[in-house]
C-alpha cells in the first residue's frame, strides 16, 4: 500500500477542509502524526503495564475531575487521570489510578459516574462452569453493579484545592485493586442489548435498559444494598475438600484426584429485585437496538434494527 501524505479524513465543522489529524503514530510508518483539528493529543496505553488487555468497549468522563473511567472485553474497569495535554506533543499514560476485574464475571459493556466516587457498570452474560466441570456449562445473567471507588480521597484529598502535579498509584492500584465497595448488584436479562444512564430534572439517575421488544426503566434510588455473602461454606463441602488436601510420599501435592475435585464456588450476594417500568414500543417486533433518555428525562428515544425511530415525551406538568 502506497503511503499517503495526508490522512483521508472527513471535515470537522465549522471547517470545510478535511481534518489533518491522524492516528497516534501515523496511519503508516512513513507518515507524520497529523496536525490541526482531530489530532490525537493523548493515549492511554494498553498492555501488561496497567492498561487494558483487550478491546475497550466504553468510557466515561468524570463530571468535575480530570478522570476517565474505561471498561472492556477483559472484564476490567479502570480509572485514569487525564494527562496534561497540549498541541505540541502527544501525552501518554500507561498506569491507571484504579483497575479491577473482580466486579463482574464477563465483559463489561458500559460505565458511568453517579457521583464523585460512585460508578455504575453493567456486564454481558457470562459462560460459567457448574461445579468446576469442564463440560457442564451454563450462561449466567449479566449484572448491573453500583460501587464506590475507595481511593478517590487518597488521590484527591478534600482539603487540597488543586490536584497534585504528580499522581501515581502503586502496583496494587493499577494491576488488581481491592479499593472498591460493592453497594448494589442485580441481575439483568440475557437479552439486554443496550444500557444508558441519564440524570433527570428530579435529581435522580435513571437506567434505561433496551430489550428486544421493550424499554425498561430503573431509578437508581430504588436499588437496595446487596445481601450478606454466603460464608462460611457448607461444613460438608469444607470437610470433603480438606480431606483431599494431603501430601504423597514425595512430599508433593497428590493430584491424582484433581480431575474429580470440586471446589465449592463462591456465589455473589445479589441485591433484592428493583422496581421497574416497562415501555413497549408499538410494532417493535423484537427489533429494538438502543434507547437513550435526553433533555434531563423529558424525552425518550429508541432505535430499531430497520431504521425506525420511536420518540416519547413527558407531558406531565
Amino acid at each position: 500500500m502506497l503511503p499517503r501524505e495526508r490522512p483521508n479524513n472527513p471535515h470537522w465543522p465549522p471547517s470545510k477542509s478535511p481534518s489533518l489529524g491522524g492516528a497516534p503514530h501515523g496511519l503508516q510508518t512513513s507518515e507524520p502524526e497529523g496536525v490541526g483539528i482531530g489530532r490525537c493529543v493523548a493515549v492511554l496505553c494498553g498492555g501488561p503495564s496497567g492498561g487494558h488487555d483487550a478491546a475497550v468497549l466504553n468510557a466515561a468522563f468524570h463530571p468535575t475531575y480530570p478522570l476517565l473511567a474505561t471498561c472492556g472485553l477483559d472484564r476490567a474497569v479502570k480509572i485514569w487521570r487525564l494527562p496534561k495535554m497540549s498541541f505540541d506533543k502527544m501525552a501518554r499514560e500507561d498506569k491507571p489510578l484504579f483497575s479491577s476485574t473482580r466486579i463482574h464475571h464477563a465483559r463489561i459493556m458500559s460505565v458511568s459516574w453517579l457521583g464523585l466516587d460512585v460508578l455504575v457498570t453493567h456486564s454481558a452474560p457470562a459462560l460459567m462452569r457448574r461445579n468446576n466441570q469442564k463440560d457442564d456449562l451454563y450462561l449466567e445473567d449479566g449484572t448491573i453493579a453500583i460501587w464506590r471507588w475507595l481511593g478517590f480521597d487518597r488521590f484527591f484529598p478534600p482539603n487540597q484545592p488543586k490536584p497534585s502535579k504528580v499522581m501515581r498509584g502503586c502496583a496494587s492500584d493499577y494491576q488488581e485493586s481491592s479499593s472498591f465497595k460493592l453497594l448494589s448488584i442485580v441481575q439483568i436479562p440475557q437479552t439486554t442489548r443496550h444500557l444508558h444512564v441519564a440524570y433527570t430534572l428530579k435529581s435522580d439517575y435513571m437506567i434505561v435498559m433496551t430489550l428486544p421488544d421493550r424499554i425498561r426503566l430503573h431509578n437508581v434510588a430504588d436499588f437496595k444494598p446487596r445481601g450478606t455473602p454466603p460464608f462460611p461454606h457448607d461444613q460438608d463441602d469444607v470437610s470433603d475438600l480438606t480431606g483431599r488436601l494431603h501430601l504423597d510420599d514425595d512430599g508433593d501435592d497428590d493430584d491424582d484426584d484433581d480431575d474429580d475435585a470440586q471446589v465449592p464456588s463462591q456465589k455473589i450476594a445479589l441485591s433484592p429485585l428493583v422496581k421497574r417500568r416497562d415501555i413497549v414500543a408499538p410494532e417493535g417486533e423484537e427489533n429494538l437496538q438502543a434507547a437513550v433518555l435526553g433533555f434531563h428525562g423529558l424525552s425518550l428515544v429508541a432505535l430499531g434494527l430497520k431504521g425506525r425511530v420511536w420518540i416519547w415525551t413527558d407531558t406531565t406538568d
Side-chain angles (χ1 to χ4, degrees), residues 62 64-65 67 113 116-117 149-157:
H62 193 281
T64 54
Y65 284 82
L67 296 171
W113 293 89
L116 287 179
D117 57 355
W149 175 34
L150 301 179
F152 180 84
D153 288 340
R154 178 158 55 93
F155 293 105
F156 299 93

Side-chain angles (χ1 to χ4, degrees), residues 24-51:
H25 301 286
L27 298 177
Q28 301 176 30
T29 57
S30 60
E31 292 179 351
E33 187 177 314
V35 295
I37 297 178
R39 177 183 184 271
C40 181
V41 294
V43 172
L44 306 178
C45 302
S49 62

Side-chain angles (χ1 to χ4, degrees), residues 192-213:
T192 301
R193 294 179 173 175
H194 183 262
L195 190 141
H196 173 70
V197 179
Y199 186 72
T200 68
L201 290 175
K202 297 181 179 179
S203 300
D204 289 334
Y205 282 96
M206 297 295 298
I207 295 179
V208 183
M209 189 186 309
T210 306
L211 301 176
D213 61 342

Side-chain angles (χ1 to χ4, degrees), residues 60-206:
F61 288 100
H62 193 281
T64 54
Y65 284 82
L67 296 171
L68 179 71
T70 60
C71 61
L73 205 61
D74 54 359
R75 297 185 294 111
V77 181
K78 299 181 184 291
I79 299 177
W80 307 77
R81 185 196 180 183
L82 294 176
K84 185 177 180 180
M85 293 171 283
S86 67
F87 292 102
D88 298 331
K89 61 180 181 179
M90 184 180 63
R92 171 192 174 100
E93 182 60 62
D94 60 353
K95 289 181 174 57
L97 302 180
F98 170 85
S99 176
S100 180
T101 61
R102 302 173 181 172
I103 300 176
H104 295 280
H105 287 166
R107 64 187 184 275
I108 303 177
M109 306 299 294
S110 71
V111 58
S112 300
W113 293 89
L114 299 180
L116 287 179
D117 57 355
V118 179
L119 299 94
V120 56
T121 52
H122 98 277
S123 66
L127 187 63
M128 306 292 290
R129 291 177 179 173
R130 186 178 284 107
N131 297 326
N132 286 341
Q133 297 294 325
K134 296 181 180 179
D135 299 330
D136 192 1
L137 304 177
Y138 70 98
L139 269 179
E140 184 179 86
D141 290 341
T143 54
I144 296 176
I146 299 176
W147 52 279
R148 171 174 282 112
W149 175 34
L150 301 179
F152 180 84
D153 288 340
R154 178 158 55 93
F155 293 105
F156 299 93
N159 56 355
Q160 186 173 327
K162 293 184 179 180
S164 302
K165 293 183 179 180
V166 178
M167 188 178 299
R168 180 77 69 178
C170 55
S172 61
D173 289 318
Y174 59 78
Q175 290 183 352
E176 191 62 69
S177 177
S178 298
S179 61
F180 69 92
K181 179 180 181 181
L182 280 174
L183 303 178
S184 182
I185 182 167
V186 298
Q187 291 181 330
I188 58 177
Q190 296 182 9
T191 55
T192 301
R193 294 179 173 175
H194 183 262
L195 190 141
H196 173 70
V197 179
Y199 186 72
T200 68
L201 290 175
K202 297 181 179 179
S203 300
D204 289 334
Y205 282 96
M206 297 295 298

Side-chain angles (χ1 to χ4, degrees), residues 225-232 267-271:
R226 66 190 188 116
T228 304
F231 185 85
K267 298 181 179 179
I268 296 179
L270 299 174
S271 303

